[in-house]
Amino acid sequence: MEIEPVNLAPWRFRLKNAKLLKLYGQVTQVIGLTVEARGINASIGEVCEIVIPDEQEAVRAEVVGFRDGSAILMPLGELRGVSQGCSVVPSGKSFSVPVGEQLLGRVLNGLGEPIDGLGTLDEMSKAGYYPVDSRPPNPMTRKRITEVLPTGLRVVDGLLTCGKGQRIGIFAGSGVGKSTLLGMISRYSNADVNVISLVGERGREVLDFIETDLGPAGLARSVVVVATSEQPALVRLKGAFVACAIAEYFRDQGKNVMLMMDSVTRFAMAQREVGLATGEPPATKGYTPSVFALLPRLLERPGMSHDGSITAFFTVLVDGDDLNEPIADAVRGILDGHIVLSRSLASANHYPAVDVLNSVSRLMPDITSEEHRADAGRLRDLLAAYRQAEDLINIGAYVAGSNPRVDEAIAVYETIIDFLKQDVQEHSAYKHTLEMLKTIVHKGASEHH
């Protein structure tokens, strides 16, 4: 007896298109920033939808913890309309963001959605999605940093030279010129693409930064991700990671990407809100342990790959100009260098207000020529000598000839200050910067002799 073969094709089609049962949960309570839900089986980082009666759009929320058999979720948007008994539907996947070349020139919110009124990003889904919370690259697969990335700023290129794939912190108090410095780097650097993340910024400053500091030319090769201070804590956190994911996409296309984030301090504050809401104990100055665990996951993601590079500038808003406060201290230990902005220099109309003697680029010795390092070191020596005798010079108590180093420093001090100052609209080519640096150093030596 022969058994006729069964045609399974229609069954495969039906199974593929069958509407399977989904496990729905229910909102049991809302406390502060968190939503508790029972009846769902979801993992940390999974995105769920909270269905609100009589509303077309559900509220997206992410699982951030568990307590007494309930999942704790934090909203990726407004909590308005959420009530006890609302259905909670797990999506089965973590948060991801659409990527593509069409992102250039666009302004997105902390969830990667456009807010510039230039249309949706639906057509971009062909380029795919990138996970927002991906791991930093394997340290053994990172290429070494050997090439200079000119920023167009004399003080950085000459004395704090930055390499492709380097991560640098800009440490400053409020109102000392961080945003202006980022705007200049974004306009004048040799990077192919800028990805700029404004985390916890004032809403008023966003348009100011885009139109004034960035400008039309800067925006054309940039992607701006904005999560303003009134946004939920989780959205502010996601804004930083969304910018990282977009930068990773362009890096994987073989481009040299400049990632700029303002500021890491407000990112840490957002994580502190999340941690306290989920029951973490406050530790150093109120920051929860998860803050210090999350910082390396963010700061280690930029760097070199086999295809391209992500060079990163992270600003750190130092509380009360205290460079040893917990976040500044933790960030400085992770990054490859730090640029310190000085309030006293800014008060004296010295912009960019970079305190050269307190700033360092850890990779400068590896990527610059011996002559460049010698010239930069000599200029630092001259500046340090002048600063040590500055009080005596200002009151006329210094006697010429007392100290040969100070005499040489006095002779070229005005030239050094002219070199360190730079107008917002002024671009300095890397080669020209090195020539100016060499001229100043040799002028000081010749005038002294």
Side-chain angles (χ1 to χ4, degrees):
M1 179 180 174
E2 289 187 12
I3 300 173
E4 291 185 16
V6 179
N7 184 10
L8 296 175
W11 293 101
R12 285 198 189 107
F13 177 79
R14 288 182 188 178
L15 283 170
K16 188 178 178 182
N17 293 278
K19 291 184 179 179
L20 302 175
L21 288 172
K22 280 190 177 180
L23 189 64
Y24 284 69
Q26 279 193 328
V27 172
T28 54
Q29 62 178 345
V30 177
I31 302 174
L33 302 170
T34 61
V35 177
E36 287 195 14
R38 280 190 177 275
I40 60 169
N41 185 17
S43 57
I44 293 284
E46 188 171 330
V47 176
C48 300
E49 290 191 340
I50 303 173
V51 181
I52 299 172
D54 303 324
E55 291 284 343
Q56 287 187 343
E57 288 191 14
V59 173
R60 283 189 295 174
E62 186 176 295
V63 179
V64 294
F66 305 98
R67 184 191 297 140
D68 300 329
S70 296
I72 302 170
L73 302 95
M74 292 200 79
L76 294 165
E78 294 290 332
L79 265 178
R80 193 176 300 140
V82 175
S83 59
Q84 198 167 16
C86 283
S87 297
V88 180
V89 188
S91 66
K93 54 189 178 183
S94 57
F95 190 56
S96 58
V97 63
V99 290
E101 292 290 329
Q102 299 95 321
L103 278 172
L104 291 174
R106 301 301 300 267
V107 182
L108 314 175
N109 65 13
L111 304 178
E113 299 162 343
I115 55 171
D116 51 11
L118 298 177
T120 63
L121 304 176
D122 293 342
E123 63 220 38
M124 293 173 47
S125 57
K126 293 175 187 174
Y129 284 78
Y130 262 50
V132 168
D133 291 314
S134 63
R135 291 183 177 180
N138 184 325
M140 298 305 293
T141 62
R142 286 178 183 258
K143 287 167 64 180
R144 290 192 63 202
I145 296 170
T146 56
E147 199 175 338
V148 171
L149 180 72
T151 62
L153 273 74
R154 283 192 295 270
V155 65
V156 176
D157 291 345
L159 304 172
L160 304 162
T161 314
C162 178
K164 282 182 184 174
Q166 188 170 350
R167 302 156 305 139
I168 293 186
I170 300 174
F171 294 76
S174 55
V176 186
K178 297 187 303 298
S179 298
T180 305
L181 187 67
L182 288 183
M184 290 174 74
I185 294 170
S186 65
R187 289 199 304 276
Y188 303 139
S189 80
N190 282 14
D192 301 320
V193 177
N194 299 313
V195 180
I196 301 163
S197 175
L198 304 177
V199 179
E201 284 294 299
R202 304 173 188 89
R204 172 190 62 79
E205 289 183 337
V206 172
L207 205 56
D208 283 350
F209 176 80
I210 291 170
E211 292 185 354
T212 309
D213 297 327
L214 196 56
L219 182 60
R221 63 186 185 118
S222 303
V223 184
V224 182
V225 181
V226 177
T228 46
S229 56
E230 88 286 353
Q231 295 288 315
L234 206 57
V235 175
R236 279 176 274 144
L237 278 181
K238 291 301 175 195
F241 287 118
V242 162
C244 281
I246 292 169
E248 284 163 352
Y249 163 76
F250 284 109
R251 180 192 62 191
D252 293 346
Q253 308 310 304
K255 297 186 186 297
N256 293 312
V257 184
M258 179 70 77
L259 171 65
M260 287 178 273
M261 193 169 295
D262 187 13
S263 70
V264 175
T265 308
R266 293 195 176 111
F267 168 86
M269 288 176 175
Q271 178 58 29
R272 177 171 63 182
E273 285 181 46
V274 173
L276 291 173
T278 54
E280 268 193 279
T284 316
K285 282 200 174 178
Y287 289 102
T288 57
S290 63
V291 172
F292 301 99
L294 198 63
L295 281 174
R297 280 182 50 203
L298 173 73
L299 303 178
E300 286 286 357
R301 280 174 69 173
M304 296 293 294
S305 74
H306 286 294
D307 303 311
S309 68
I310 301 176
T311 308
F313 282 83
F314 296 98
T315 71
V316 181
L317 187 66
V318 289
D319 188 17
D321 294 344
D322 176 15
L323 290 169
N324 295 316
E325 60 98 23
I327 299 303
D329 214 29
V331 170
R332 193 165 54 240
I334 298 169
L335 298 180
D336 308 317
H338 51 272
I339 297 171
V340 178
L341 302 188
S342 160
R343 192 174 294 280
S344 60
L345 287 175
S347 311
N349 197 36
H350 182 296
Y351 288 102
V354 177
D355 185 346
V356 172
L357 300 179
N358 284 321
S359 305
V360 67
S361 168
R362 292 179 183 166
L363 287 171
M364 184 176 174
D366 300 333
I367 58 175
T368 52
S369 66
E370 192 175 334
E371 185 184 15
H372 180 179
R373 291 195 296 277
D375 290 343
R378 186 70 185 134
L379 190 142
R380 278 176 175 268
D381 286 344
L382 293 170
L383 193 58
Y386 187 91
R387 291 275 161 83
Q388 284 170 1
E390 191 166 16
D391 291 340
L392 292 174
I393 296 166
N394 288 340
I395 63 172
Y398 177 75
V399 179
S402 304
N403 187 327
R405 277 181 74 234
V406 176
D407 292 339
E408 188 181 345
I410 292 171
V412 292
Y413 181 69
E414 291 300 325
T415 318
I416 289 173
I417 295 303
D418 287 341
F419 174 80
L420 298 178
K421 278 185 175 181
Q422 189 169 337
D423 187 75
V424 175
Q425 301 301 328
E426 182 187 356
H427 171 251
S428 181
Y430 184 65
K431 190 177 178 183
H432 179 59
T433 296
L434 298 190
E435 287 170 358
M436 287 181 72
L437 181 62
K438 188 175 181 178
T439 303
I440 292 168
V441 171
H442 285 267
K443 179 187 175 186
S446 60
E447 286 193 11
H448 174 60
H449 292 301

